[in-house]
């Protein structure tokens, strides 16, 4: 039997990771869950994000979705809640965190930048990643919530407010010496072409998509589900959302995340 892989994000950003996984493992059964009622996660507290992910696990159980592997395709959710969520489920979880290590290996100027949501930038997980993998280079940190909204607009409406994008990037004022920019939010690859053009293609952009697809493939192999997930017949992708999506681009099933019973009365 092919594996059921659920890819989760606050919004549409996780589809950038999903695309990499689908390329590698084309015929697994995929579902994509967006908690857009709480978008943007980057402006939420850590406790709220932990609660939402615990409710997601409850949703999977309650609806008997038989998920074999969850990809938290959200740097904000992964850096805030990965360890808490792993404690409450046996389903293997792959988190997506900023590609600090590859960026530190790629830089020639020894100066890299991380562009992520405010919550990811503030998280102790991110600080540890930098200390572990980039202690020999300068790492400048930049956060933006507006870029998440612009990526959502581009995805759903196929149009981008370029003036706004340039204004946001100008305000960030990324230091001139930076030669590698980490897109530390899964929404940002949706804007990669435009971001790259803004910097006249002089900065290398890196994200975690390919590495995540390899990790998923490795874990499915360990579970004995990889071969079938490659060779099986293609299955339709089910999208779930917690708030209405005003676009006919995707057929989305509207659902509610409720607190697991052990949360009641808190
Ligand atoms: N796509 C999410 C991430 O990778 C965050 C977007 C949001 O702020 O909701 O961090």
């Amino acid at each position: 039997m092919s594996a059921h892989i659920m890819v989760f994000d606050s919004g549409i950003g996780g589809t950038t990771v999903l695309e990499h996984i689908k390329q590698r493992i084309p015929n697994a059964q995929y579902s994509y869950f967006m908690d857009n009622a709480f978008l943007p996660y980057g402006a939420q507290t850590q406790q709220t994000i932990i609660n939402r992910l615990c409710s997601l696990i409850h949703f999977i159980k309650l609806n008997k979705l038989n998920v074999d592997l969850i990809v938290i395709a959200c740097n904000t959710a992964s850096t805030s809640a990965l360890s808490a969520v792993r404690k409450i489920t046996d389903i293997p979880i792959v988190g997506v965190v900023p590609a600090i290590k590859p960026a530190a290996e790629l830089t020639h100027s020894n100066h890299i930048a991380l562009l992520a949501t405010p919550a990811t930038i503030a998280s102790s997980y991110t600080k540890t990643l930098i200390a572990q993998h980039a202690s020999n280079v300068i790492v400048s940190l930049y956060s933006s919530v507006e870029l998440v909204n612009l990526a959502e607009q581009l995805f759903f409406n196929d149009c981008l407010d370029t003036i706004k994008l340039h204004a946001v990037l100008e305000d960030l004022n990324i230091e001139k010496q930076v030669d590698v920019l980490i897109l530390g939010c899964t929404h940002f690859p949706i804007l990669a072409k435009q971001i790259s053009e803004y910097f006249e293609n002089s900065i290398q952009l890196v994200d975690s998509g390919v590495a995540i697809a390899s990790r998923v493939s490795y874990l499915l192999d360990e579970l004995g589900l990889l071969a079938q997930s490659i060779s099986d017949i293609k299955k339709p992708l089910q999208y779930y959302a917690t708030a209405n999506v005003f676009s006919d681009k995707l057929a989305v099933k509207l659902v509610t995340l409720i607190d697991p019973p052990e949360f009641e009365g808190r």
Side-chain angles (χ1 to χ4, degrees):
M1 219 173 59
S2 61
H4 180 183
I5 302 171
M6 177 177 275
V7 176
F8 173 88
D9 184 30
S10 54
I12 206 65
T15 58
T16 62
V17 179
L18 174 64
E19 286 312 314
H20 285 287
I21 305 171
K22 280 198 322 198
Q23 247 176 46
R24 181 114 188 200
I25 313 157
N27 297 337
Q29 184 189 341
Y30 289 100
S31 45
Y32 186 82
F33 195 114
M34 54 186 132
D35 188 16
N36 50 343
F38 278 61
L39 181 79
Y41 266 24
Q44 304 290 353
T45 65
Q46 182 176 20
Q47 193 54 55
T48 301
I49 296 170
I50 292 174
N51 291 354
R52 296 301 286 175
L53 285 170
C54 290
S55 300
L56 173 78
I57 302 298
H58 183 56
F59 175 87
I60 292 170
K61 217 194 294 178
L62 205 66
N63 292 284
K64 300 188 176 56
L65 295 184
N66 297 324
V67 172
D68 295 298
L69 189 138
I70 302 170
V71 180
I72 302 183
C74 174
N75 293 261
T76 311
S78 299
T79 53
S80 308
L82 206 49
S83 55
V85 185
R86 281 191 173 130
K87 284 187 193 134
I88 62 154
T89 181
D90 293 336
I91 305 171
I93 300 180
V94 176
V96 175
V97 298
I100 308 275
K101 189 171 180 224
E105 286 164 2
L106 281 170
T107 180
H108 295 295
S109 65
N110 287 330
H111 194 161
I112 63 175
L114 169 61
L115 178 57
T117 66
T120 300
I121 293 296
S123 82
S124 54
Y125 195 115
T126 300
K127 291 190 176 79
T128 307
L129 272 183
I130 293 171
Q132 279 175 347
H133 301 298
S135 56
N136 54 338
V137 302
I138 302 169
V139 186
S140 298
L141 304 174
Y142 302 92
S143 67
S144 174
V145 172
E146 290 97 333
L147 291 179
V148 173
N149 297 329
L150 286 171
E152 289 273 324
Q153 278 162 23
L154 178 57
F155 184 93
F156 283 115
N157 307 332
D158 288 324
C159 70
L160 178 67
D161 184 343
T162 313
I163 295 176
K164 177 94 194 275
L165 175 73
H166 287 184
V168 172
L169 293 171
E170 199 174 322
D171 277 356
L172 288 174
N173 196 15
I174 291 176
E175 290 191 56
K176 298 279 172 290
Q177 296 81 0
V178 168
D179 65 345
V180 182
L181 176 63
I182 304 156
L183 301 179
C185 168
T186 54
H187 277 78
F188 298 168
I190 295 172
L191 302 167
K193 185 172 162 282
Q194 291 83 356
I195 294 175
S196 191
E197 280 167 7
Y198 173 84
F199 292 109
E200 293 168 343
N201 301 317
S202 63
I203 293 189
Q204 190 169 357
L205 305 181
V206 297
D207 65 57
S208 309
V210 172
I212 296 303
S214 301
R215 180 74 190 146
V216 170
S217 166
Y218 174 83
L219 288 177
L220 286 194
D221 200 15
E222 276 201 326
L223 294 169
L225 295 169
L226 183 63
Q228 277 287 89
S229 304
I230 291 172
S231 64
D232 224 347
I233 306 158
K234 211 172 194 73
K235 291 156 219 71
L237 201 160
Q238 175 69 59
Y239 290 91
Y240 298 95
T242 55
N244 268 316
V245 171
F246 298 102
S247 159
D248 48 19
K249 208 162 177 177
L250 307 175
V252 167
K253 185 170 179 185
L254 189 61
V255 296
T256 307
L257 284 188
I258 51 164
D259 284 350
E262 58 271 26
F263 274 38
E264 274 165 21
R266 277 189 14 175

